[in-house]
Amino acid sequence: MNDGKGIDDKRQRDFDDLQHELTGRDVGRISRFLAEGDVRSPEAKRKKAEREHMRRSLSMLLDDPIYRARYDRAMDVLRSAEQAVDQAQDSLGRMIRAAQIDISSMENRAARLPDGTLVFRDATGTVRSADGTRIESDLAATILWTGQEPSFEEYRAAQQHLEELHISQDDIRNYEVNVLGSARNRLMDEDNPPSFEELDDIMKDIEAEMPDRVRHTIAEPDATKPAAPVFSTQMVPDLGANR
């Protein structure tokens, strides 16, 4: 009896899967009964035709020399910004490492309380901990000063400089992901290519949202690095590869 029930269950599953395939319904499984593209539902056929039409859209748009020139220009702007981001991140990385070394050197030269707490004297002679807390006079009297210690203002300025560098680094990362990443996705979207007007908007956004450090990198290119290559048609999506 159990074998019979198993056979009935399998028949029911087969029947259900066939109905899903006939209607073009996606149930997350590979088609078992119909060959690829052999769908009979009018809705499924409509969706398939729509996908094929959109796939051809970017190819047809790029055949228009006016659209192609603007598309190429948008890609050039994107690639220039991406290269500037890479250079700015490299420069920031070096600056952050230098700032960290500077702070470490200051901490090594700083005076300490008996419990090891770092302390500094400010411009008024007040003794403060690294976070700015004032040290009581009786405790400050136990400190042995060498004269080589950095001032509280110097230490705080070094910390603020490092914090600003990290903020700039975060800004560039956000720009890279949210602006440049989105721009590249739109430009490479063969199913829903950007309109002529959207190409202009993409270039405007890349310029308007660009962090100052990235903008300065473009304004003052690194002479030790090769110039960005000229845009090539090889960067255009291969629309026929998946047909």
Side-chain angles (χ1 to χ4, degrees):
M1 294 179 62
N2 289 338
D3 291 344
K5 184 177 184 303
I7 292 173
D8 290 341
D9 289 344
K10 182 179 183 303
R11 287 174 177 170
Q12 183 63 49
R13 285 196 304 272
D14 290 347
F15 176 80
D16 291 342
D17 286 347
L18 177 58
Q19 299 309 305
H20 290 319
E21 291 179 29
L22 287 172
T23 58
R25 190 178 300 116
D26 184 5
V27 294
R29 292 193 294 271
I30 298 174
S31 296
R32 301 169 54 207
F33 302 100
L34 302 181
E36 184 178 359
D38 185 13
V39 291
R40 302 172 189 176
S41 164
E43 177 65 11
K45 289 182 178 180
R46 184 190 67 78
K47 289 182 178 179
K48 180 184 177 185
E50 187 177 79
R51 287 194 300 270
E52 291 176 348
H53 171 73
M54 288 191 298
R55 182 173 294 276
R56 293 192 299 269
S57 296
L58 181 56
S59 179
M60 290 186 294
L61 284 172
L62 292 176
D63 286 338
D64 178 352
I66 297 178
Y67 180 90
R68 180 57 182 254
R70 188 60 54 89
Y71 182 91
D72 286 2
R73 174 58 182 158
M75 286 296 296
D76 280 341
V77 169
L78 172 62
R79 292 173 61 250
S80 177
E82 288 175 334
Q83 184 181 52
V85 162
D86 288 342
Q87 294 178 6
Q89 286 176 331
D90 288 344
S91 176
L92 267 176
R94 292 191 295 271
M95 294 173 71
I96 286 173
R97 288 191 292 274
Q100 290 170 334
I101 291 173
D102 188 33
I103 290 175
S104 179
S105 175
M106 287 186 177
E107 291 175 345
N108 289 335
R109 292 184 287 115
R112 296 176 183 271
L113 294 178
D115 64 0
T117 300
L118 296 175
V119 289
F120 307 86
R121 279 186 292 206
D122 66 17
T124 67
T126 301
V127 179
R128 300 183 181 277
S129 62
D131 64 2
T133 302
R134 182 172 180 170
I135 304 300
E136 296 297 333
S137 58
D138 58 341
L139 189 55
T142 66
I143 301 171
L144 297 177
W145 303 94
T146 67
Q148 301 301 315
E149 298 85 1
S151 69
F152 176 74
E153 289 80 5
E154 290 172 332
Y155 183 70
R156 179 57 61 88
Q159 287 184 315
Q160 290 177 342
H161 176 58
L162 179 59
E163 182 178 352
E164 289 169 359
L165 292 176
H166 281 303
I167 291 174
S168 293
Q169 192 176 54
D170 289 341
D171 288 343
I172 291 175
R173 286 171 178 165
N174 289 334
Y175 174 72
E176 181 180 29
V177 173
N178 298 323
V179 178
L180 301 188
S182 296
R184 179 163 286 280
N185 287 340
R186 286 299 295 123
L187 290 172
M188 303 300 287
D189 189 346
E190 63 187 50
D191 291 334
N192 182 28
S195 66
F196 193 88
E197 292 75 16
E198 191 176 358
L199 291 175
D200 284 339
D201 291 339
I202 288 172
M203 289 187 281
K204 289 177 182 177
D205 286 345
I206 290 174
E207 168 66 22
E209 300 297 329
M210 184 177 291
D212 287 340
R213 287 187 183 275
V214 177
R215 196 182 310 280
H216 293 160
T217 299
I218 293 178
E220 301 176 2
D222 187 344
T224 64
K225 295 188 177 182
V230 178
F231 174 79
S232 167
T233 56
Q234 293 178 351
M235 294 188 64
V236 178
D238 184 358
L239 304 179
N242 296 321
R243 290 180 182 172

